[in-house]
Amino acid sequence: MVPIPKRLLHHSVAVRVPKADALMGGEYEEPVQLDGVYVEPVSKVRPTSYQLQDATNAVMYVDAVNTKGAFAIPAGSLVTLSEGEAPSSVAACHALSCFGRVHHWEVELA
């Protein structure tokens, strides 16, 4: 399967993953820069008239080939879309595979 085209992957983000050894939570690793992701507001993805859980504000697409630094981002991580902006929390990360290999990840930001 063809990777997500580079022309669509024009965002860069900073990701802070929760520390595994933190006793009380709320502690994060140093930020990791991901270059070449696509962030789409959820209103364009799946508009609904009702809400069953915390709102997902955006979906971030991370390509396994064309995103520099790509990895499966665990739930609870913090994603900063632009400098000075409040970070978004990762609600879920879904891997989409093709022929046994990850094609891309869809990361729900709340």
Side-chain angles (χ1 to χ4, degrees), residues 57-72:
N57 298 325
V59 176
M60 181 173 69
Y61 297 89
V62 179
D63 189 75
V65 174
N66 287 330
T67 299
K68 183 179 176 186
F71 66 99

PDB file of all heavy atoms in Angstrom, residues 57-72:
ATOM      1  N   ASN A  57     -11.297  16.137  19.782  1.00  0.00           N
ATOM      2  CA  ASN A  57     -11.206  17.415  19.083  1.00  0.00           C
ATOM      3  C   ASN A  57     -10.605  17.285  17.694  1.00  0.00           C
ATOM      4  O   ASN A  57     -10.925  18.071  16.814  1.00  0.00           O
ATOM      5  CB  ASN A  57     -10.371  18.405  19.886  1.00  0.00           C
ATOM      6  CG  ASN A  57     -10.991  18.712  21.222  1.00  0.00           C
ATOM      7  OD1 ASN A  57     -12.202  18.764  21.346  1.00  0.00           O
ATOM      8  ND2 ASN A  57     -10.165  18.906  22.226  1.00  0.00           N
ATOM      9  N   ALA A  58      -9.711  16.320  17.526  1.00  0.00           N
ATOM     10  CA  ALA A  58      -9.010  16.168  16.249  1.00  0.00           C
ATOM     11  C   ALA A  58      -8.491  14.744  16.126  1.00  0.00           C
ATOM     12  O   ALA A  58      -8.371  14.021  17.118  1.00  0.00           O
ATOM     13  CB  ALA A  58      -7.855  17.158  16.159  1.00  0.00           C
ATOM     14  N   VAL A  59      -8.185  14.369  14.897  1.00  0.00           N
ATOM     15  CA  VAL A  59      -7.529  13.091  14.632  1.00  0.00           C
ATOM     16  C   VAL A  59      -6.202  13.417  13.959  1.00  0.00           C
ATOM     17  O   VAL A  59      -6.151  14.191  13.004  1.00  0.00           O
ATOM     18  CB  VAL A  59      -8.379  12.176  13.730  1.00  0.00           C
ATOM     19  CG1 VAL A  59      -7.620  10.903  13.386  1.00  0.00           C
ATOM     20  CG2 VAL A  59      -9.696  11.845  14.407  1.00  0.00           C
ATOM     21  N   MET A  60      -5.125  12.848  14.490  1.00  0.00           N
ATOM     22  CA  MET A  60      -3.796  13.055  13.942  1.00  0.00           C
ATOM     23  C   MET A  60      -3.371  11.784  13.219  1.00  0.00           C
ATOM     24  O   MET A  60      -3.438  10.699  13.780  1.00  0.00           O
ATOM     25  CB  MET A  60      -2.802  13.387  15.058  1.00  0.00           C
ATOM     26  CG  MET A  60      -1.391  13.631  14.568  1.00  0.00           C
ATOM     27  SD  MET A  60      -0.276  14.223  15.870  1.00  0.00           S
ATOM     28  CE  MET A  60      -0.124  12.769  16.909  1.00  0.00           C
ATOM     29  N   TYR A  61      -2.946  11.938  11.983  1.00  0.00           N
ATOM     30  CA  TYR A  61      -2.493  10.809  11.176  1.00  0.00           C
ATOM     31  C   TYR A  61      -0.973  10.789  11.161  1.00  0.00           C
ATOM     32  O   TYR A  61      -0.331  11.776  10.787  1.00  0.00           O
ATOM     33  CB  TYR A  61      -3.040  10.921   9.747  1.00  0.00           C
ATOM     34  CG  TYR A  61      -4.542  10.870   9.699  1.00  0.00           C
ATOM     35  CD1 TYR A  61      -5.297  12.028   9.810  1.00  0.00           C
ATOM     36  CD2 TYR A  61      -5.207   9.663   9.583  1.00  0.00           C
ATOM     37  CE1 TYR A  61      -6.681  11.983   9.791  1.00  0.00           C
ATOM     38  CE2 TYR A  61      -6.599   9.605   9.563  1.00  0.00           C
ATOM     39  CZ  TYR A  61      -7.320  10.778   9.666  1.00  0.00           C
ATOM     40  OH  TYR A  61      -8.692  10.734   9.648  1.00  0.00           O
ATOM     41  N   VAL A  62      -0.408   9.661  11.584  1.00  0.00           N
ATOM     42  CA  VAL A  62       1.044   9.481  11.642  1.00  0.00           C
ATOM     43  C   VAL A  62       1.389   8.352  10.674  1.00  0.00           C
ATOM     44  O   VAL A  62       0.990   7.206  10.885  1.00  0.00           O
ATOM     45  CB  VAL A  62       1.500   9.116  13.079  1.00  0.00           C
ATOM     46  CG1 VAL A  62       3.002   8.896  13.130  1.00  0.00           C
ATOM     47  CG2 VAL A  62       1.064  10.183  14.072  1.00  0.00           C
ATOM     48  N   ASP A  63       2.107   8.671   9.604  1.00  0.00           N
ATOM     49  CA  ASP A  63       2.442   7.684   8.588  1.00  0.00           C
ATOM     50  C   ASP A  63       3.692   6.906   9.004  1.00  0.00           C
ATOM     51  O   ASP A  63       4.668   7.490   9.489  1.00  0.00           O
ATOM     52  CB  ASP A  63       2.686   8.372   7.243  1.00  0.00           C
ATOM     53  CG  ASP A  63       2.827   7.380   6.123  1.00  0.00           C
ATOM     54  OD1 ASP A  63       1.802   6.825   5.700  1.00  0.00           O
ATOM     55  OD2 ASP A  63       3.971   7.145   5.676  1.00  0.00           O
ATOM     56  N   ALA A  64       3.663   5.602   8.822  1.00  0.00           N
ATOM     57  CA  ALA A  64       4.791   4.750   9.226  1.00  0.00           C
ATOM     58  C   ALA A  64       6.041   5.017   8.395  1.00  0.00           C
ATOM     59  O   ALA A  64       7.154   4.811   8.870  1.00  0.00           O
ATOM     60  CB  ALA A  64       4.403   3.278   9.131  1.00  0.00           C
ATOM     61  N   VAL A  65       5.877   5.506   7.160  1.00  0.00           N
ATOM     62  CA  VAL A  65       7.015   5.731   6.260  1.00  0.00           C
ATOM     63  C   VAL A  65       7.413   7.203   6.198  1.00  0.00           C
ATOM     64  O   VAL A  65       8.582   7.540   6.350  1.00  0.00           O
ATOM     65  CB  VAL A  65       6.690   5.215   4.838  1.00  0.00           C
ATOM     66  CG1 VAL A  65       7.794   5.571   3.859  1.00  0.00           C
ATOM     67  CG2 VAL A  65       6.455   3.711   4.861  1.00  0.00           C
ATOM     68  N   ASN A  66       6.442   8.085   5.984  1.00  0.00           N
ATOM     69  CA  ASN A  66       6.748   9.487   5.699  1.00  0.00           C
ATOM     70  C   ASN A  66       6.747  10.417   6.903  1.00  0.00           C
ATOM     71  O   ASN A  66       7.024  11.599   6.754  1.00  0.00           O
ATOM     72  CB  ASN A  66       5.775  10.027   4.640  1.00  0.00           C
ATOM     73  CG  ASN A  66       6.093   9.480   3.273  1.00  0.00           C
ATOM     74  OD1 ASN A  66       7.236   9.182   2.951  1.00  0.00           O
ATOM     75  ND2 ASN A  66       5.069   9.328   2.448  1.00  0.00           N
ATOM     76  N   THR A  67       6.437   9.934   8.093  1.00  0.00           N
ATOM     77  CA  THR A  67       6.504  10.770   9.294  1.00  0.00           C
ATOM     78  C   THR A  67       7.838  10.516   9.989  1.00  0.00           C
ATOM     79  O   THR A  67       8.129   9.384  10.394  1.00  0.00           O
ATOM     80  CB  THR A  67       5.346  10.462  10.264  1.00  0.00           C
ATOM     81  OG1 THR A  67       4.111  10.741   9.604  1.00  0.00           O
ATOM     82  CG2 THR A  67       5.451  11.298  11.519  1.00  0.00           C
ATOM     83  N   LYS A  68       8.644  11.565  10.109  1.00  0.00           N
ATOM     84  CA  LYS A  68       9.945  11.448  10.770  1.00  0.00           C
ATOM     85  C   LYS A  68       9.735  11.259  12.264  1.00  0.00           C
ATOM     86  O   LYS A  68       9.079  12.067  12.917  1.00  0.00           O
ATOM     87  CB  LYS A  68      10.779  12.698  10.511  1.00  0.00           C
ATOM     88  CG  LYS A  68      12.155  12.636  11.098  1.00  0.00           C
ATOM     89  CD  LYS A  68      12.934  13.889  10.791  1.00  0.00           C
ATOM     90  CE  LYS A  68      14.286  13.839  11.472  1.00  0.00           C
ATOM     91  NZ  LYS A  68      15.004  15.101  11.299  1.00  0.00           N
ATOM     92  N   GLY A  69      10.237  10.146  12.822  1.00  0.00           N
ATOM     93  CA  GLY A  69      10.110   9.850  14.247  1.00  0.00           C
ATOM     94  C   GLY A  69       8.840   9.094  14.605  1.00  0.00           C
ATOM     95  O   GLY A  69       8.476   9.026  15.771  1.00  0.00           O
ATOM     96  N   ALA A  70       8.148   8.529  13.624  1.00  0.00           N
ATOM     97  CA  ALA A  70       6.846   7.866  13.837  1.00  0.00           C
ATOM     98  C   ALA A  70       6.929   6.715  14.842  1.00  0.00           C
ATOM     99  O   ALA A  70       7.881   5.941  14.834  1.00  0.00           O
ATOM    100  CB  ALA A  70       6.307   7.340  12.514  1.00  0.00           C
ATOM    101  N   PHE A  71       5.911   6.638  15.708  1.00  0.00           N
ATOM    102  CA  PHE A  71       5.762   5.528  16.647  1.00  0.00           C
ATOM    103  C   PHE A  71       4.318   5.484  17.118  1.00  0.00           C
ATOM    104  O   PHE A  71       3.562   6.437  16.917  1.00  0.00           O
ATOM    105  CB  PHE A  71       6.738   5.653  17.840  1.00  0.00           C
ATOM    106  CG  PHE A  71       6.474   6.823  18.746  1.00  0.00           C
ATOM    107  CD1 PHE A  71       5.780   6.646  19.942  1.00  0.00           C
ATOM    108  CD2 PHE A  71       6.937   8.095  18.433  1.00  0.00           C
ATOM    109  CE1 PHE A  71       5.544   7.718  20.790  1.00  0.00           C
ATOM    110  CE2 PHE A  71       6.713   9.174  19.279  1.00  0.00           C
ATOM    111  CZ  PHE A  71       6.012   8.981  20.461  1.00  0.00           C
ATOM    112  N   ALA A  72       3.922   4.382  17.736  1.00  0.00           N
ATOM    113  CA  ALA A  72       2.572   4.248  18.292  1.00  0.00           C
ATOM    114  C   ALA A  72       2.520   5.084  19.571  1.00  0.00           C
ATOM    115  O   ALA A  72       3.219   4.791  20.539  1.00  0.00           O
ATOM    116  CB  ALA A  72       2.255   2.794  18.578  1.00  0.00           C
TER     117      ALA A  72
END
